[in-house]
Amino acid sequence: MINEVQEILINESEIQEKVKYLAEQINKDYAGKDIVLMIILKGSVVFSADLMRYLNVNVSLDFMQVSSYGSSSVSGELKILKDGQIDVNGKNVIIAEDIIDSGNTLSALVKLLKKRGANVEICTLLSKPARRETQVDVKYEGFEIPDEFVVGYGMDYDERFRNLPYIGILKREVYGG
Ligand code: PRP
Ligand code: MN
Ligand code: MG
């Protein structure tokens, strides 16, 4: 464990077990169907890379990078930093996210993809319900976690720690919380 991490919240084998479980649900629900796995940069790349290898339905990959305009703004305000390439009209889109905090990013993104004609569901590894500001319907959820600053397995603090193979709680002194 690296020095900036206070404790490991979810270790590698616990993550893999859960990712496999999520994939099995998707495999069951979409058996014989095609899906577009919409990977939300950057945090979701590690989770998505593992998740897709457990999927046995027809998967296409696409990537978006978005950010919501902050907590006080109206939900639905979405800044698209990078848009997807696939025409999602009439497609089954599963958004892969690492974590849902306020829910602002995802609720706006779901709205947008539905407006584009997609059939949208969310698959998130983590959810932090204590921080929710906008309600979102999540079909596939890995772990509910406490209101701690988590890093690793794709998640960053100031662009660091995404490469850690586990999910750790960042020491307060690192982010000055
Ligand atoms: C984080 C996380 C989610 C989003 C959740 O991404 O990966 O995408 O915030 O926040 P919300 O539920 O409050 O909207 P971030 O914007 O930090 O970008 P990153 O994935 O590139 O780190
Ligand atoms: Mn993100
Ligand atoms: Mg981030």
Side-chain angles (χ1 to χ4, degrees), residues 66-104:
V66 295
S67 78
S68 64
Y69 281 105
S71 52
S72 59
S73 70
V74 189
S75 73
E77 295 275 327
L78 191 70
K79 190 164 24 172
I80 299 177
L81 305 171
K82 184 217 172 295
D83 208 341
Q85 303 290 308
I86 294 175
D87 178 1
V88 296
N89 188 22
K91 302 255 171 73
N92 297 314
V93 173
I94 298 181
I95 300 172
E97 261 290 29
D98 48 330
I99 185 166
I100 305 179
D101 280 319
S102 70
N104 293 335

Side-chain angles (χ1 to χ4, degrees), residues 40-44 65-68 97-106 131-132 154-156 159 162:
I40 309 305
L41 303 170
K42 302 174 185 175
S44 131
Q65 188 167 18
V66 295
S67 78
S68 64
E97 261 290 29
D98 48 330
I99 185 166
I100 305 179
D101 280 319
S102 70
N104 293 335
T105 309
L106 268 191
R131 292 272 300 257
R132 202 73 89 248
M155 289 170 287
D156 71 308
E159 298 299 333
R162 294 192 197 273

Side-chain angles (χ1 to χ4, degrees), residues 2 9 16 26-27 31 40 58 87 93 122-123 143 162:
I2 59 161
L9 184 65
Q16 286 309 311
I26 294 171
N27 287 335
I40 309 305
N58 289 321
D87 178 1
V93 173
I122 294 169
C123 178
F143 302 93
R162 294 192 197 273

Side-chain angles (χ1 to χ4, degrees), residues 26-50:
I26 294 171
N27 287 335
K28 211 182 294 168
D29 293 349
Y30 292 89
K33 294 182 179 158
D34 299 343
I35 65 170
V36 175
L37 191 64
M38 187 61 81
I39 296 165
I40 309 305
L41 303 170
K42 302 174 185 175
S44 131
V45 294
V46 182
F47 169 51
S48 303
D50 281 344

Side-chain angles (χ1 to χ4, degrees), residues 118-136:
N119 178 3
V120 187
E121 298 292 355
I122 294 169
C123 178
T124 186
L125 182 61
L126 306 180
S127 173
K128 221 191 252 185
R131 292 272 300 257
R132 202 73 89 248
E133 294 171 10
T134 310
Q135 192 264 334
V136 270

